[in-house]
Amino acid sequence: MRARLFLWVAGLAALGLAVPAAAQKDATLALTPPMGWNSWNHYGCNIDEKLIKATADALVSSGLRDAGYTYVNLDDCWHGARDAAGNIQPDPVRFPSGMKALGDYLHQRGLKFGIYSDAGATTCAGRPGSQGHEFQDAAQYARWGVDYVKYDWCATGTGPAQRNPREAYATMSRAIAASGRPMVLSICEWGENQPWLWGKDVGHLWRTTGDIINCWDCTIDHGSWQSSGILPILDRQVAIRGHSGPGGWNDPDMMEVGNLASDRENRSHFALWAMLSAPLIIGTDVPGMSGQVRDILANPRIIAIGQDALGISAYPWIRTPGFEIWAKPLADGAWAIALLNRGDEPQRYTLKWTDYELKDDLKGRRADFARETYTIENSWDGEPTGTTATPLEVQVEPHDTLVFRLAPVTG
Ligand code: GLA
């Protein structure tokens, strides 16, 4: 019997299907895409407890916490050295009050505490990684009150000597389970090992792509890896959209909303990430953000699209050069439609609904406008905008995105 079980498990492993930690992940977390803030995009390594507390206070006073942004995530460079027993400690100069005190500060304000580590010997910025210390680190995080762990992939070896990513992430998943404290596990191996095929067994979200940067349509080659702006990352989500859903999300990276060249770009980026059901992790200077950026991030109708319970990632429905209409099925028979102007000239567009049908083959959702009528609401300002019985005439400014919610007319 035992030999047969072994063969069965070995067979599954050979097929790449067996991940022993499958039952370990907390399946009650991240049923909608996580929302919060992370330090990396704006501050890089330059973080300390004063900044984290000021950001937490600004999330509360700006209303962003109440809009849903509850995770406050420290990225790389919070680390000091390990103590004599091997326990990880924060940088004593940057975090003199310690991590338990910081976690308490966040929890007292109705926020959650996120931290960063790495599956290799060091993090990407050269701080201590968790390899060989996974259970000890997860236990330490639990003592500090951590609710979210982003787990990076630097210094994990190269070629045949590289760590097995499934094994590495499963080990941290088991370590979190053993700590007894529920924590979201954010897999950050940049999409290199098709994490959309196995990430859901061990974690709650997985990066699909290399690092985001604050440009509209650029890609920077760093030799062994690339970073990209909004449009190249967007385009790479289409083929894998079917792998994202409640409890396990494709993660096109933390947002650059507030860091882009214009509010049109900020608006588009936010709308598109919501359309993708992406995690909505703010990556800007929250205490210093403009009122416009705050209003984009806090828009309740766009957030509702991103947090829709079905968690279906959008697909490009109509594509013309430089102009696209993306569609996302929502709960209760509704749809979200995003009209994206990728180019540098204003675009006028008349959408004669009755010439089209919305059809999401992946999830079997359809809307035939010749047979059914939908009401249209402008998601940016909440204004009713007629129905699909009459054509929608719009002008979309360069790099901007209009969003509409369609709801079936019943009765
Ligand atoms: C990698 C990750 C980034 C960030 C940095 C920190 O590049 O992909 O998101 O965490 O490391 O060093």
Side-chain angles (χ1 to χ4, degrees):
M1 181 64 191
R2 191 181 274 192
R4 213 186 276 174
L5 183 68
F6 172 77
L7 283 177
W8 183 75
V9 171
L12 281 180
L15 286 172
L17 296 175
V19 177
Q24 303 280 351
K25 173 183 132 171
D26 188 326
T28 65
L29 297 175
L31 297 180
T32 58
M35 292 175 66
W37 173 86
N38 173 295
S39 53
W40 185 255
N41 284 357
H42 187 74
Y43 299 98
C45 258
N46 198 16
I47 57 171
D48 59 24
E49 64 184 38
K50 234 175 107 197
L51 167 75
I52 304 301
K53 288 179 177 176
T55 301
D57 293 348
L59 286 169
V60 175
S61 63
S62 63
L64 289 176
R65 177 200 61 190
D66 291 344
Y69 298 92
T70 48
Y71 288 103
V72 175
N73 296 349
L74 278 56
D75 208 277
D76 211 341
C77 305
W78 59 265
H79 322 67
R82 293 184 181 278
D83 68 13
N87 295 309
I88 189 70
Q89 304 295 330
D91 180 322
V93 176
R94 291 177 174 269
F95 294 91
S97 312
M99 289 308 192
K100 171 77 171 68
L102 187 57
D104 288 348
Y105 187 93
L106 298 174
H107 292 140
Q108 281 155 11
R109 284 155 183 79
L111 296 163
K112 295 187 184 126
F113 185 19
I115 218 160
Y116 162 99
S117 190
D118 188 289
T122 64
T123 70
C124 296
R127 308 302 161 104
S130 289
Q131 185 168 14
H133 290 274
E134 292 90 347
F135 284 72
Q136 196 176 22
D137 285 357
Q140 179 79 311
Y141 302 159
R143 283 190 287 275
W144 291 344
V146 166
D147 306 296
Y148 185 116
V149 179
K150 173 177 167 183
Y151 204 46
D152 215 338
W153 192 237
C154 278
T156 51
T158 49
Q162 187 170 45
R163 281 197 84 175
N164 176 315
R166 295 187 199 195
E167 178 277 324
Y169 284 97
T171 302
M172 186 43 99
S173 185
R174 279 198 296 276
I176 290 172
S179 82
R181 186 172 172 90
M183 298 179 208
V184 169
L185 177 58
S186 159
I187 297 171
C188 179
E189 56 72 84
W190 321 306
E192 289 190 349
N193 302 279
Q194 297 183 297
W196 43 87
L197 298 181
W198 49 267
K200 198 169 180 179
D201 293 334
V202 293
H204 302 90
L205 59 158
W206 45 86
R207 282 274 298 280
T208 56
T209 28
D211 286 7
I212 196 168
I213 39 174
N214 58 335
C215 65
W216 180 242
D217 189 12
C218 69
T219 296
I220 297 181
D221 202 338
H222 304 270
S224 60
W225 65 287
Q226 291 182 334
S227 49
S228 314
I230 309 312
L231 295 184
I233 291 184
L234 171 72
D235 292 339
R236 288 167 64 186
Q237 308 308 310
V238 180
I240 55 173
R241 59 182 284 264
H243 298 289
S244 197
W249 305 98
N250 287 341
D251 174 12
D253 207 353
M254 306 169 301
M255 296 188 292
E256 294 279 11
V257 174
N259 307 337
L260 293 169
S262 67
D263 280 336
R264 289 176 185 163
E265 292 185 359
N266 286 328
R267 214 167 18 236
S268 288
H269 176 21
F270 186 58
L272 293 165
W273 261 228
M275 291 291 287
L276 294 172
S277 283
L280 297 178
I281 307 293
I282 298 170
T284 198
D285 165 9
V286 176
M289 71 189 162
S290 68
Q292 287 87 332
V293 166
R294 182 261 168 220
D295 290 349
I296 291 169
L297 291 168
N299 187 297
R301 291 165 296 277
I302 305 286
I303 291 174
I305 290 169
Q307 294 285 295
D308 181 77
L310 296 182
I312 302 177
S313 184
Y315 67 96
W317 174 40
I318 297 172
R319 276 176 151 161
T320 65
F323 184 78
E324 293 168 356
I325 307 183
W326 289 63
K328 173 178 169 58
L330 302 174
D332 300 326
W335 289 77
I337 303 291
L339 294 83
L340 160 67
N341 183 353
R342 300 170 69 111
D344 298 331
E345 302 298 327
Q347 290 266 1
R348 284 185 169 280
Y349 195 84
T350 301
L351 180 53
K352 191 163 178 247
W353 302 95
T354 46
D355 285 351
Y356 291 98
E357 190 185 22
L358 276 170
K359 198 157 156 253
D360 178 9
D361 285 337
L362 198 63
K363 303 288 177 180
R365 280 283 301 275
R366 279 168 174 239
D368 180 353
F369 299 114
R371 291 162 186 271
E372 319 149 62
T373 302
Y374 288 69
T375 58
I376 306 172
E377 179 190 72
N378 181 333
S379 299
W380 284 118
D381 60 15
E383 284 298 312
T385 313
T387 74
T388 53
T390 42
L392 179 73
E393 288 181 40
V394 293
Q395 173 161 322
V396 190
E397 299 305 324
H399 300 193
D400 210 347
T401 298
L402 302 181
V403 184
F404 298 97
R405 184 176 189 278
L406 312 182
V409 174
T410 50

